[in-house]
Amino acid sequence: MAQRIVVGNWKMNQSLEAIKKFFVEIQKLKASAKCEMWIAPQAIHVPIVKEFAFNLGLVQVGAQNCSDKESGAFTGETSPQALNDLGVSFVIIGHSERRTIFNESNTLLNAKLQTALKNGLNVIYCVGETLTEREQNKTFNVIETQLMEGLKNLPQPNDYHNIVIAYEPVWAIGTGKTATLKEVNEVHAFIRKLLKGQNLTLPILYGGSVNTKNAQELFSSNEVDGALVGGASLKGEDFVSLCQSASIFA
Ligand code: PGA
């Protein structure tokens, strides 16, 4: 198995001061990290995080969202072309906060995915069910729809290799309630099967209240290629601990 991928989704958090502190902590990992480290700060912080990351030589810097258009009269939007100009290597598409708060549909997310790939960005495409959907036994249906609609009609077969899937049950995000390993394995295996049906092999991350205490157990699973982490990725010492847990399974 390839090295685990540990992705920090900083959401709309982190001051400049906090970012500096984060990277002081991360220096400590330099020699020992045997995992991929990806960080998605707020878009406005990308250049400064890139600078720190460049000095360290280990961290991939990404964005949390982008427009489905390359340019034009779309006030307030971020173009994937501009992200590429800044050396951003990946973008998160389909996070549940985008789906719910900003009403982003699978159709829009598919358009974003296409434009992002066309502009040389790797994509973390997020899927996940709400608590109600899980309770109504709709988990697999929801995941299948999100996956198939989000990934359809991509221009080049090779584009698929630039996609990472993140399974994030909505009820586990920011709630402190992690899915059990059994639940994670079950959904990851289901996603893997769906992808295989399309001749695709893509890494699958788990996200939703991953922290320094539960990370090792999650990374121990062959179904889990890495983690997409919100709250526990903000402090350098926690991120270091997550990466150390991931490195055990390199
Ligand atoms: P959390 O967020 O780790 O704080 O639950 C995960 C995410 O939203 O990607």
Side-chain angles (χ1 to χ4, degrees):
M1 192 167 185
Q3 289 192 343
R4 300 291 196 272
I5 308 169
V6 183
V7 187
N9 172 14
W10 284 356
K11 309 193 180 185
M12 208 169 71
N13 295 306
Q14 300 291 57
S15 62
L16 207 49
E17 208 39 50
I19 293 173
K20 278 184 199 153
K21 272 198 201 140
F22 178 92
F23 276 94
V24 169
E25 286 298 320
I26 294 295
Q27 298 284 355
K28 296 178 188 162
L29 258 179
K30 200 164 186 173
S32 61
K34 290 195 180 61
C35 64
E36 292 192 32
M37 294 187 268
W38 299 15
I39 302 277
Q42 300 184 56
I44 192 96
H45 283 152
V46 161
I48 185 81
V49 173
K50 282 262 336 159
E51 204 175 303
F52 284 122
F54 178 78
N55 292 338
L56 199 65
L58 286 175
V59 181
Q60 304 283 328
V61 182
Q64 301 168 13
N65 178 36
C66 69
S67 172
D68 61 318
K69 307 285 191 309
E70 284 178 346
S71 61
F74 303 102
T75 304
E77 286 290 84
T78 304
S79 155
Q81 233 170 31
L83 292 174
N84 194 7
D85 283 349
L86 286 182
V88 160
S89 60
F90 70 95
V91 60
I92 301 173
I93 290 180
H95 190 280
S96 78
E97 284 148 24
R98 301 294 319 172
R99 289 179 186 269
T100 323
I101 308 170
F102 301 96
N103 284 324
E104 296 192 354
S105 66
N106 288 323
T107 310
L108 174 68
L109 297 172
N110 176 251
K112 288 189 176 203
L113 218 129
Q114 306 223 22
T115 319
L117 292 171
K118 192 169 150 225
N119 284 278
L121 301 173
N122 295 315
V123 171
I124 299 179
Y125 180 61
C126 305
V127 295
E129 81 287 1
T130 62
L131 187 57
T132 315
E133 288 163 344
R134 176 161 279 268
E135 285 170 351
Q136 294 173 348
N137 289 324
K138 290 185 182 155
T139 300
F140 293 126
N141 284 346
V142 170
I143 303 284
E144 182 164 1
T145 307
Q146 291 175 339
L147 207 61
M148 292 303 140
E149 291 189 5
L151 297 185
K152 76 179 174 197
N153 297 334
L154 297 186
Q156 301 286 329
N158 279 348
D159 285 341
Y160 287 110
H161 299 299
N162 301 325
I163 301 171
V164 172
I165 305 296
Y167 168 54
E168 296 205 301
V170 180
W171 47 271
I173 297 177
T175 57
K177 206 175 157 195
T178 328
T180 63
L181 196 56
K182 185 170 170 281
E183 289 166 333
V184 174
N185 283 338
E186 226 167 56
V187 178
H188 281 216
F190 175 74
I191 294 173
R192 232 175 267 286
K193 207 171 107 195
L194 285 177
L195 293 173
K196 206 169 165 205
Q198 313 280 318
N199 287 323
L200 299 172
T201 311
L202 304 177
I204 307 173
L205 315 180
Y206 168 77
S209 295
V210 176
N211 59 40
T212 54
K213 294 200 174 68
N214 59 28
Q216 190 166 325
E217 190 196 12
L218 285 161
F219 291 133
S220 73
S221 167
N222 281 336
E223 284 292 349
V224 179
D225 298 302
L228 178 53
V229 190
S233 72
L234 295 172
K235 287 204 183 111
E237 63 207 75
D238 291 345
F239 195 75
V240 165
S241 161
L242 296 172
C243 292
Q244 283 164 339
S245 295
S247 298
I248 298 173
F249 304 99

